[in-house]
Amino acid sequence: MKHRRRRPRATPRQDDSLLLEAFAKVQSLNHEGRGIARIDGKVTFIDGALPGEEVRIRYRQQRVKFDSADTIEVLTPSPDRVTPPCPHFGVCGGCLLQHQAPAAQIAAKQQSLSELLAHVGKVQPERWLPPLTGPVWAYRRRARLSARLVPAKGGVLVGFREARSHFLASLDTCLILDERISSLLPALRELLTSLSCPDRIPQVEVSCGDEAVALVLRHLAPLTPPDLDRLRAFAQRHRVQLWSQPQGVDSTVPVEPAEPPALQYRLDDGTVLEFGPTDFVQVNAAMNRRTVTQALDLLELAPSDEVLDLFCGIGNFTLPMARRAARVTGVEADEKLLARARYNATRNGIANVEFRAANLYAENVAWPPVRCDKLLLDPPRQGAIDILRHMPDERPSRIVYVSCYPSTLARDSQYLVHELGYRLAAAGVMDMFPHTSHVESMTLFVRDA
């Protein structure tokens, strides 16, 4: 039997057609923060354009069903357009919405959440929570900075990838990073360039506590004794912790100081949580405090309540809930995070908590065999549908769902409302990542008695 040779997948031709310019009236933003327009009936996604604007564009990519383009001139600006303060805006892909006023950004995120809940989840909240907002600059306490040796540009570049590109945007400053990290970028670039293996350092992970700052150097070649001396001198000079990571996360070891204290942050109720430089914590400290406070208020915890916290991490929600409830059980797959959570409970003198290890995405996952009057969900992007399908008949009366991905929240909302009989009592967005299209949200589901 003869087999036909498959034709190569069609790709846009890099010819003069991609240089064509056009005029467009922008109708809305998509979920990536790109302007949407229809030109001759065809959808065009336009970088740098805002709803209501008339713009001149240059096509970047033309496909059968849609086109992509860049804004090259704003003819009629939106009242929400502002001048981006970052000198790297337009090149760096770290935050693409600096040209839109923060209030308009959060309104667009709420509109995006509303549409996904309606179209995917077939639900609408009974009320909208006021958006949770915080500082829009210097808010990011955790980040993974890419590094790349480019001799033609003077050494190692440090920063984020360029927008829609594999190239690295070298940063001398970053307005969304914690100022303690942003101010170190030029010195960090010099440090990496001076090492014996500058072409074998792909990443520097940065993590900030309320008082201390840690940098984790990922290196694919062994560090020499002179390298270690330079790292120690850098850490001492800039008063930061410096860690080495030659392989996976478990290989991370301190360089300077030899026995660094744990990073930590404080919540509004006085709870102090310690974490390591590679542990997961929310990147926006101020917004995290407000998120925890709102979640506890929505749960309406009573002294007799027993609460289940799924995807509990280091105890960010678990421990504050335990101060108000009879007992809280936290469930998490990562044993390292669970050990940190147990330590944090002891450190804060909280004894009415229990932490259990379980992969909530496993095929044979079972609902934890504990009483559950109230439930808090804070899953990763995959959502929580796998564990929700195992919810027992004796269901919690209130569920607060903290989401970092509105599409899976909408899917899970459909199941909670249309399959399990909950009401979507409230929903709202949280501006955890200003100047990006990333949407974080919180929803409240209520089961009537």
Side-chain angles (χ1 to χ4, degrees):
M1 180 177 179
K2 293 184 179 180
H3 295 276
R4 294 183 179 180
R5 181 177 297 178
R6 289 185 178 181
R7 298 180 62 184
R9 187 175 180 180
T11 57
R13 293 183 303 160
Q14 301 299 316
D15 57 21
D16 291 342
S17 67
L18 293 182
L19 301 178
L20 289 176
E21 298 180 359
F23 296 95
K25 173 74 172 180
V26 183
Q27 300 167 347
S28 60
L29 291 181
N30 73 351
H31 300 317
E32 296 177 333
R34 306 167 73 190
I36 302 176
R38 286 188 175 273
I39 302 176
D40 296 330
K42 188 177 182 183
V43 172
T44 303
F45 298 108
I46 308 170
D47 285 0
L50 297 177
E53 292 187 332
E54 294 182 5
V55 295
R56 185 161 62 93
I57 65 170
R58 178 177 292 120
Y59 287 101
R60 184 176 64 250
Q61 199 172 54
Q62 294 175 308
R63 301 194 178 192
V64 174
K65 294 185 178 180
F66 65 89
D67 296 334
S68 298
D70 296 312
T71 300
I72 57 176
E73 183 181 4
V74 179
L75 304 174
T76 306
S78 164
D80 296 323
R81 178 172 286 275
V82 297
T83 301
C86 178
H88 304 290
F89 180 76
V91 177
C92 176
C95 43
L96 300 176
L97 290 175
Q98 288 188 32
H99 60 298
Q100 187 178 35
Q105 292 180 32
I106 197 70
K109 292 177 182 183
Q110 183 155 305
Q111 179 65 27
S112 174
L113 176 62
S114 176
E115 291 174 356
L116 282 167
L117 288 172
H119 298 153
V120 177
K122 312 301 181 187
V123 294
Q124 278 290 355
E126 295 172 0
R127 67 183 175 101
W128 282 101
L129 301 168
L132 282 187
T133 58
V136 298
W137 302 110
Y139 65 81
R140 186 156 194 155
R141 66 178 170 185
R142 276 188 52 78
R144 286 187 179 135
L145 300 171
S146 296
R148 184 174 300 167
L149 177 63
V150 184
K153 294 189 177 182
V156 174
L157 306 185
V158 177
F160 300 109
R161 295 191 184 279
E162 294 181 0
R164 312 192 191 285
S165 168
H166 294 295
F167 293 107
L168 190 62
S170 182
L171 305 182
D172 296 320
T173 184
C174 177
L175 299 186
I176 65 168
L177 282 180
D178 185 299
E179 292 176 353
R180 294 171 291 177
I181 293 296
S182 178
S183 63
L184 282 180
L185 292 176
L188 181 60
R189 175 177 175 174
E190 292 179 6
L191 171 67
L192 300 185
T193 302
S194 73
L195 300 180
S196 65
C197 54
D199 60 333
R200 303 289 287 164
I201 301 172
Q203 174 184 296
V204 178
E205 188 167 357
V206 298
S207 191
C208 302
D210 289 348
E211 299 175 357
V213 174
L215 284 72
V216 180
L217 189 71
R218 178 74 175 101
H219 54 96
L220 306 179
L223 298 175
T224 65
D227 289 338
L228 295 174
D229 288 341
R230 292 186 179 95
L231 295 179
R232 293 188 186 101
F234 180 92
Q236 293 169 5
R237 184 182 315 118
H238 297 286
R239 299 181 180 180
V240 299
Q241 299 178 11
L242 215 153
W243 297 65
S244 161
Q245 185 186 328
Q247 296 179 3
V249 173
D250 291 339
S251 71
T252 304
V253 294
V255 175
E256 179 67 27
E259 296 182 0
L263 303 171
Q264 64 180 39
Y265 64 88
R266 181 181 295 271
L267 297 175
D268 287 343
D269 68 349
T271 302
V272 176
L273 292 107
E274 292 191 359
F275 63 100
T278 59
D279 289 345
F280 172 80
V281 295
Q282 291 290 353
V283 303
N284 190 322
M287 282 300 302
N288 180 61
R289 291 193 295 269
R290 293 169 192 177
T291 298
V292 171
T293 297
Q294 178 170 278
L296 268 62
D297 290 344
L298 290 176
L299 282 172
E300 296 184 357
L301 296 175
S304 61
D305 281 337
E306 297 203 16
V307 188
L308 189 58
D309 180 6
L310 300 184
F311 311 94
C312 69
I314 65 171
N316 186 57
F317 291 99
T318 324
L319 302 185
M321 289 193 297
R323 295 187 184 277
R324 302 189 186 187
R327 187 166 186 80
V328 183
T329 300
V331 181
E332 170 64 48
D334 191 324
E335 290 281 5
K336 183 180 177 182
L337 295 181
L338 281 177
R340 191 79 69 178
R342 293 186 182 104
Y343 174 82
N344 283 327
T346 301
R347 186 189 191 284
N348 287 274
I350 297 175
N352 59 330
V353 292
E354 178 187 3
F355 292 98
R356 298 185 175 210
N359 178 3
L360 299 174
Y361 294 116
E363 290 185 6
N364 59 348
V365 66
W367 191 264
V370 295
R371 179 182 155 195
C372 178
D373 301 307
K374 309 284 176 66
L375 170 65
L376 188 131
L377 294 169
D378 184 16
R381 288 170 62 93
Q382 297 99 306
I385 191 68
D386 298 294
I387 188 63
L388 288 176
R389 289 189 174 125
H390 296 275
M391 188 182 292
D393 291 338
E394 293 185 9
R395 296 167 187 158
S397 61
R398 298 175 83 86
I399 299 174
V400 167
Y401 190 137
V402 181
S403 168
C404 63
Y405 197 57
S407 294
T408 51
L409 168 65
R411 177 204 63 197
D412 295 353
S413 297
Q414 181 183 37
Y415 184 79
L416 284 164
V417 172
H418 298 299
E419 297 295 330
L420 298 185
Y422 281 87
R423 294 185 291 108
L424 178 52
V429 292
M430 308 176 298
D431 205 11
M432 193 72 73
F433 295 86
H435 311 302
T436 77
S437 60
H438 188 85
V439 180
E440 297 250 349
S441 61
M442 187 181 298
T443 45
L444 170 65
F445 298 89
V446 176
R447 179 178 61 83
D448 296 323

